Amino acid sequence: PSEITAAWCQRFVPLPKLEDVVAGAVGLNDRELGYNTSFVYPRLGIGELTKAMARELPQIEYRRAPKTIDYQNKRLVFEDEDEIVTYDALISTAPMKVLGSLLLAPPMRVLEATSSLRCQLLYYLDVATKTPSKKDLHWVYVPEEKYPFYRIGCYSNFSAALAPTNKACFYVELTSRTEPNMETLVPEVAQAMTAMGFVDRSEDIEFMRLRKIDFAYVIFDDAYFSALETLKPFYEAASIVSVGRYGGWNYSSMEDALLFGRDAAQRARAHAHA
């Protein structure tokens, strides 16, 4: 905590008025606070957005990654080194830390700034149940130390189409940053979901699948802003638009991602026409 700045989280913390605090203290909760008290969500999940975009862009190639970015000559070198693709402007949504590792002979200041970037990985579970969720909430934070997760959400409460009829699906974000032992974790999570009232009994859980996000949460420490003050101008000068939650190395939402994408296209076009 002594190394972390709080500047990043202001937009996510609601600022109630005195009368809101007093009213809440006596049980008069007549309105909700926060930036996400209401939202629109695709019926078949957030992946429908990218699927729709992909249908309009059939020329996109998938599952290919450059081995090296020759930023000085604006070239992408692929794994076999026989294919080299030139570009006028490059949009990268790869984690900024990964992008830095792909650069061919970057300046020392860029290497040092990239190495100072820190983040936290995340293990989470996709959980399917044989019964509907017994809670009508979308997600809840869990501060109690006795539970193995700090947040649980219900996809099928966002949209009933995301689970078979009379069933449900959840995501469970785990507290531990080390790979869990599923033999011991599954009964712990099942017991916790039962205790919190999401299911009536452990047997109502159909399966759990472990997932991992390597760059889940950027750490906004004392070195964060100075590192980006070095990296952002460098990439901009090289006609590389590093954008998104990972490419911009920030903490942002899906709504932000749409705006980032629009802005990235405009910036890339400006670089290409410069």
Side-chain angles (χ1 to χ4, degrees):
S2 65
E3 300 175 25
I4 296 175
T5 171
W8 64 275
C9 67
Q10 183 172 349
R11 63 172 285 212
F12 298 103
V13 179
L15 299 175
K17 299 177 182 178
L18 176 60
E19 52 265 35
D20 295 325
V21 177
V22 174
V26 296
L28 300 177
N29 298 310
D30 61 341
R31 68 187 185 92
E32 297 180 351
L33 297 174
Y35 71 98
N36 56 0
T37 55
S38 64
F39 56 90
V40 176
Y41 198 81
R43 188 178 68 88
L44 296 178
I46 200 66
E48 292 302 296
L49 291 178
T50 49
K51 289 177 183 176
M53 293 177 187
R55 286 195 294 270
E56 299 298 320
L57 298 167
Q59 67 270 35
I60 290 179
E61 294 186 45
Y62 298 96
R63 301 185 184 280
R64 300 193 66 210
K67 180 180 179 181
T68 306
I69 300 174
D70 180 356
Y71 70 93
Q72 293 175 310
N73 296 303
K74 295 186 177 181
R75 303 189 309 170
L76 298 177
V77 181
F78 285 86
E79 281 295 335
D80 54 13
E81 299 192 9
D82 289 332
E83 184 178 4
I84 296 176
V85 176
T86 60
Y87 60 86
D88 294 318
L90 178 65
I91 296 177
S92 171
T93 60
M96 192 175 281
K97 205 168 182 70
V98 173
L99 176 61
S101 69
L102 294 175
L103 298 177
L104 178 64
M108 182 57 66
R109 60 186 172 85
V110 171
L111 288 175
E112 291 174 350
T114 301
S115 66
S116 71
L117 298 176
R118 297 165 65 190
C119 65
Q120 191 66 271
L121 62 79
L122 170 68
Y123 286 100
Y124 74 96
L125 299 171
D126 278 329
V127 180
T129 61
K130 301 174 184 177
T131 59
S133 173
K134 304 302 180 182
K135 300 281 189 179
D136 63 356
L137 51 82
H138 291 116
W139 65 87
V140 62
Y141 291 91
V142 184
E144 292 90 346
E145 189 175 358
K146 63 182 178 180
Y147 295 126
F149 47 82
Y150 66 89
R151 181 165 69 167
I152 181 170
C154 184
Y155 295 118
S156 48
N157 279 353
F158 294 171
S159 171
L162 296 179
T165 304
N166 294 324
K167 296 187 178 184
C169 52
F170 298 82
Y171 64 88
V172 177
E173 299 187 21
L174 302 174
T175 307
S176 175
R177 302 308 184 194
T178 58
E179 185 170 358
N181 181 335
M182 291 295 285
E183 288 188 11
T184 58
L185 179 66
V186 167
E188 285 181 17
V189 171
Q191 184 178 10
M193 290 181 65
T194 303
M196 294 182 66
F198 288 100
V199 292
D200 290 330
R201 52 182 188 158
S202 296
E203 290 76 14
D204 290 336
I205 293 176
E206 193 156 315
F207 65 81
M208 298 186 190
R209 288 179 181 165
L210 181 66
R211 309 291 193 188
K212 181 186 179 187
I213 302 176
D214 289 317
F215 301 89
Y217 294 105
V218 167
I219 296 176
F220 290 79
D221 59 10
D222 293 333
Y224 173 85
F225 292 101
S226 61
L228 263 61
E229 285 172 2
T230 295
L231 295 172
K232 284 186 174 181
F234 168 78
Y235 286 123
E236 200 70 27
S239 298
I240 297 176
V241 180
S242 186
V243 69
R245 176 164 173 155
Y246 303 117
W249 204 252
N250 56 55
Y251 179 68
S252 52
S253 66
M254 290 180 281
E255 177 186 5
D256 292 321
L258 295 174
L259 298 175
F260 290 152
R262 180 198 64 186
D263 295 344
Q266 293 172 347
R267 287 164 58 194
R269 183 167 57 184
H271 280 298
H273 294 161

